[in-house]
Amino acid sequence: MQQQIRGWRFAAERIPRRRVMRDGPLAHSARTLVSACQELGDRARGMSAPTHGRMSAAQAMAARMPARVAEYMPGRTPTGMMGRMPARMAARMPGQMMGRRPTRMPARMARRMSGRMAGRMTGRMTMPTAMPTGMTSNMKRVAGGLGLLAAGMGVARWAINRPSARERELKNRWIMVTVNCSPQRLASRADLPEPITRLGDAVDIKIAPAPGDRGTELGARLRDLPRTKVAGMVTRHPEEDPRRMVEQALRDAKAIIETGEVLRGEWPAAAQAAQAGKLLEFAGRRGGRQ
Amino acid sequence: MKALCWEGVNRLSVERVPDPQILNDQDAIVKVTLTTTCGSDLHLINGYIPTMQAGDVIGHEFMGEIVDIGRGVRRRKVGERVVVCSFIGCGRCWYCTHDLWSLCDNTNPNWELAQDTLGFETGGVYGYSHAMGGFKGSHSEYIRVPFADFGTFPVPDGVSDLDALYASDAAPTGWMGAHMGGVKPGDVVAVWGAGGVGQMAARAAQLLGAERVIVIDRLPERLAMAERYMDVETIDFSQTDVRADLHERTGGRGPDVCIEAVGMEATGAPDGQYAYDRVKQQLHMQQDRPIAVREAIQVCAKGGSVFVLGVFGGMVDRFPLGILMNKGLVLAGAQQHGHRYIPMLLKRMASGELSASQLATHEMSLDDAPHGYDMFKHKKDGCVRVAFRPHD
């Protein structure tokens, strides 16, 4: 049976595929599936033919592969893993890894050639008489299908369960800056400069010494994340994003602590005023002072 | 006042713009007496740097005279002749206090824009896109200088204006490449690019004790200038195989330190790299053409170092990471930390040890700046740098 399947495989590679006869006892595909299942069952019962001989055949064939490629494709540099691999190394590889290429590569190469050369090459080909693989190609198809199915299910599960981009974006993280001063300089909330105090109770504040001589880590986090409507607005108008306002406040506070002032850009003053206005509006509302 | 404005890709014009004002207490207003072209301006002009707007004033390498100061300026006074570092540093953040001035935390008001384009924000720089602060550039009659106590440096009496001009950017950038590239006495140093920065890097390598310095370029007048003023070896990459030549000259080892002073618009490569990079760049599939960086990594001695001084903006392709790793190379790069080096460079200029005025092959009025940039861009008439005098 296996020999028949092998024969069909190689014939299919040489000639165009035709429609299967309807009145036959079994369609090709059905015969293929039956034979694959039979082989799987035999293996499960420990009845398969010993694979040692097949592996040895595959290893020997792999060792000859570079020379064979050179023979079939004169004037071309062998490329890819097989082409570059020394014969000794190829012979050491397991038959199941190497078995597929030795049996199929010459046929593929010949098929890719066109015109007169194709006929010549095909004529020179000598097909291996034994199939030096651990699994038949039909079993590979079944296993491949199952693998694809499992992979698809895994991807679908991951896509369903993962947090959406918006959820990840709006996760209420601490917004941090590192200020080049000692932690004692920022010992209490009262020591913080105006851009932070202006935020009032809208934020939690975190202060911690930075590693080494890097100063003090200053962080702020919104006590309440904006609801969905606001989140939609945030997407459309980044300047109204409360998290962005908190980050700007932290940066301004850092600049004031370190340099005594916030550097003003040379963009139009109107744009800056509008931005600052939004910050004040948000801070006042959240701080309950409006 | 008049200023040279970027009006679009390959379009420059001299326009009238509002006078600068003191916006912060630590600002100063400087009357620009000399300002110069820089190779990195060409990336703006050619449209490879994002976040430029029509009407932006360009230019970042300049010197002048302080004409006004804010009430928070303590160390400078009106009338001082100063050179100004092209990067703006606050002087008090962690990076400034650790001599990493171009990484300043407090001088880029457009930090969000920078994060969108680069993923982080650098310090501010004059006239170099809104992502890098949106500050008006120096190709104008006057300029606002933030944190003037830290960013301006009085020019010693013995130093000419033209020498001091290049202490603003070219000289400290070149020095940084040799210094942070780890040049030691006895090293062989190769420098890609014989423009202003490359020549200053070569001179810095000599002063730091390099045994041999080899400068690589394709423009004969620039190579001749490097030979004449610095007595370095040169390689014309259009006439020879650079890798083979460098291996031959270094006993098969390769240079110990390679300094790349070319940047994102490198030209000429032996194996079609240029065409490949150019096509990808034009199709917006890649931002930079890192031909010189690739070559430096390939030819550098085992265990050596490669320092990238040229300006790059984003992702590159065909990067020889395997060579870098297996050779045990150190790869580093930076925008210039000029505040760290400018006082020392001015001293060396005053003592005659370092000269940079030869870089100014052409001088002209600011009114002729578009023509000057055309000469500079197309390397006409042996142009290395053009110095503009805004008040002529």
Side-chain angles (χ1 to χ4, degrees), chain A residues 55 58-59 90-99:
Chain A
M55 289 178 67
Q59 285 166 350
R92 276 194 220 115
M93 296 195 70
Q96 281 170 331
M97 282 178 68
M98 305 297 297

PDB file of all heavy atoms in Angstrom, chain A residues 55 58-59 90-99:
ATOM      1  N   MET A  55      16.130   5.846   8.457  1.00  0.00           N
ATOM      2  CA  MET A  55      16.943   6.983   8.886  1.00  0.00           C
ATOM      3  C   MET A  55      18.341   6.901   8.309  1.00  0.00           C
ATOM      4  O   MET A  55      18.921   7.895   7.880  1.00  0.00           O
ATOM      5  CB  MET A  55      17.007   7.044  10.406  1.00  0.00           C
ATOM      6  CG  MET A  55      15.678   7.465  11.030  1.00  0.00           C
ATOM      7  SD  MET A  55      15.732   7.470  12.804  1.00  0.00           S
ATOM      8  CE  MET A  55      16.854   8.789  13.110  1.00  0.00           C
ATOM      9  N   ALA A  58      18.238   7.969   4.839  1.00  0.00           N
ATOM     10  CA  ALA A  58      18.100   9.419   4.716  1.00  0.00           C
ATOM     11  C   ALA A  58      19.412  10.128   5.023  1.00  0.00           C
ATOM     12  O   ALA A  58      19.793  11.088   4.350  1.00  0.00           O
ATOM     13  CB  ALA A  58      17.027   9.909   5.687  1.00  0.00           C
ATOM     14  N   GLN A  59      20.105   9.646   6.063  1.00  0.00           N
ATOM     15  CA  GLN A  59      21.372  10.296   6.412  1.00  0.00           C
ATOM     16  C   GLN A  59      22.388  10.142   5.294  1.00  0.00           C
ATOM     17  O   GLN A  59      23.102  11.089   4.955  1.00  0.00           O
ATOM     18  CB  GLN A  59      21.896   9.708   7.716  1.00  0.00           C
ATOM     19  CG  GLN A  59      21.107  10.231   8.922  1.00  0.00           C
ATOM     20  CD  GLN A  59      21.364   9.436  10.166  1.00  0.00           C
ATOM     21  OE1 GLN A  59      21.987   8.378  10.113  1.00  0.00           O
ATOM     22  NE2 GLN A  59      20.873   9.932  11.284  1.00  0.00           N
ATOM     23  N   ALA A  90      25.484  17.027   7.603  1.00  0.00           N
ATOM     24  CA  ALA A  90      24.186  16.579   7.120  1.00  0.00           C
ATOM     25  C   ALA A  90      23.933  15.130   7.510  1.00  0.00           C
ATOM     26  O   ALA A  90      22.825  14.759   7.882  1.00  0.00           O
ATOM     27  CB  ALA A  90      24.116  16.729   5.608  1.00  0.00           C
ATOM     28  N   ALA A  91      24.985  14.300   7.437  1.00  0.00           N
ATOM     29  CA  ALA A  91      24.816  12.893   7.754  1.00  0.00           C
ATOM     30  C   ALA A  91      24.457  12.685   9.226  1.00  0.00           C
ATOM     31  O   ALA A  91      23.844  11.690   9.586  1.00  0.00           O
ATOM     32  CB  ALA A  91      26.100  12.132   7.431  1.00  0.00           C
ATOM     33  N   ARG A  92      24.855  13.637  10.066  1.00  0.00           N
ATOM     34  CA  ARG A  92      24.587  13.489  11.493  1.00  0.00           C
ATOM     35  C   ARG A  92      23.145  13.838  11.847  1.00  0.00           C
ATOM     36  O   ARG A  92      22.676  13.550  12.913  1.00  0.00           O
ATOM     37  CB  ARG A  92      25.516  14.394  12.291  1.00  0.00           C
ATOM     38  CG  ARG A  92      26.870  13.768  12.531  1.00  0.00           C
ATOM     39  CD  ARG A  92      27.605  14.531  13.599  1.00  0.00           C
ATOM     40  NE  ARG A  92      28.997  14.631  13.212  1.00  0.00           N
ATOM     41  CZ  ARG A  92      29.609  15.758  12.924  1.00  0.00           C
ATOM     42  NH1 ARG A  92      28.959  16.889  13.001  1.00  0.00           N
ATOM     43  NH2 ARG A  92      30.845  15.769  12.570  1.00  0.00           N
ATOM     44  N   MET A  93      22.450  14.502  10.963  1.00  0.00           N
ATOM     45  CA  MET A  93      21.116  14.983  11.320  1.00  0.00           C
ATOM     46  C   MET A  93      20.113  13.836  11.273  1.00  0.00           C
ATOM     47  O   MET A  93      20.258  12.904  10.488  1.00  0.00           O
ATOM     48  CB  MET A  93      20.694  16.099  10.371  1.00  0.00           C
ATOM     49  CG  MET A  93      21.606  17.282  10.520  1.00  0.00           C
ATOM     50  SD  MET A  93      20.955  18.736   9.774  1.00  0.00           S
ATOM     51  CE  MET A  93      19.624  19.125  10.852  1.00  0.00           C
ATOM     52  N   PRO A  94      19.063  13.892  12.101  1.00  0.00           N
ATOM     53  CA  PRO A  94      18.093  12.795  12.132  1.00  0.00           C
ATOM     54  C   PRO A  94      17.390  12.650  10.801  1.00  0.00           C
ATOM     55  O   PRO A  94      17.183  13.635  10.085  1.00  0.00           O
ATOM     56  CB  PRO A  94      17.096  13.238  13.205  1.00  0.00           C
ATOM     57  CG  PRO A  94      17.688  14.396  13.882  1.00  0.00           C
ATOM     58  CD  PRO A  94      18.772  14.938  13.049  1.00  0.00           C
ATOM     59  N   GLY A  95      17.038  11.421  10.517  1.00  0.00           N
ATOM     60  CA  GLY A  95      16.383  11.130   9.246  1.00  0.00           C
ATOM     61  C   GLY A  95      15.089  11.881   9.075  1.00  0.00           C
ATOM     62  O   GLY A  95      14.740  12.302   7.989  1.00  0.00           O
ATOM     63  N   GLN A  96      14.336  12.074  10.163  1.00  0.00           N
ATOM     64  CA  GLN A  96      13.061  12.733  10.019  1.00  0.00           C
ATOM     65  C   GLN A  96      13.223  14.188   9.627  1.00  0.00           C
ATOM     66  O   GLN A  96      12.348  14.773   9.029  1.00  0.00           O
ATOM     67  CB  GLN A  96      12.282  12.632  11.325  1.00  0.00           C
ATOM     68  CG  GLN A  96      11.640  11.261  11.448  1.00  0.00           C
ATOM     69  CD  GLN A  96      11.065  11.035  12.815  1.00  0.00           C
ATOM     70  OE1 GLN A  96      11.567  11.587  13.784  1.00  0.00           O
ATOM     71  NE2 GLN A  96      10.045  10.210  12.897  1.00  0.00           N
ATOM     72  N   MET A  97      14.352  14.776  10.015  1.00  0.00           N
ATOM     73  CA  MET A  97      14.592  16.153   9.607  1.00  0.00           C
ATOM     74  C   MET A  97      15.046  16.233   8.163  1.00  0.00           C
ATOM     75  O   MET A  97      14.710  17.133   7.425  1.00  0.00           O
ATOM     76  CB  MET A  97      15.660  16.803  10.484  1.00  0.00           C
ATOM     77  CG  MET A  97      15.162  17.238  11.839  1.00  0.00           C
ATOM     78  SD  MET A  97      16.497  17.930  12.771  1.00  0.00           S
ATOM     79  CE  MET A  97      16.829  19.414  11.871  1.00  0.00           C
ATOM     80  N   MET A  98      15.861  15.243   7.788  1.00  0.00           N
ATOM     81  CA  MET A  98      16.520  15.358   6.503  1.00  0.00           C
ATOM     82  C   MET A  98      15.816  14.577   5.410  1.00  0.00           C
ATOM     83  O   MET A  98      16.100  14.745   4.242  1.00  0.00           O
ATOM     84  CB  MET A  98      17.958  14.822   6.611  1.00  0.00           C
ATOM     85  CG  MET A  98      18.773  15.481   7.690  1.00  0.00           C
ATOM     86  SD  MET A  98      18.984  17.223   7.367  1.00  0.00           S
ATOM     87  CE  MET A  98      19.892  17.143   5.854  1.00  0.00           C
ATOM     88  N   GLY A  99      14.893  13.697   5.797  1.00  0.00           N
ATOM     89  CA  GLY A  99      14.340  12.771   4.825  1.00  0.00           C
ATOM     90  C   GLY A  99      13.563  13.442   3.719  1.00  0.00           C
ATOM     91  O   GLY A  99      13.544  12.983   2.591  1.00  0.00           O
TER      92      GLY A  99
END
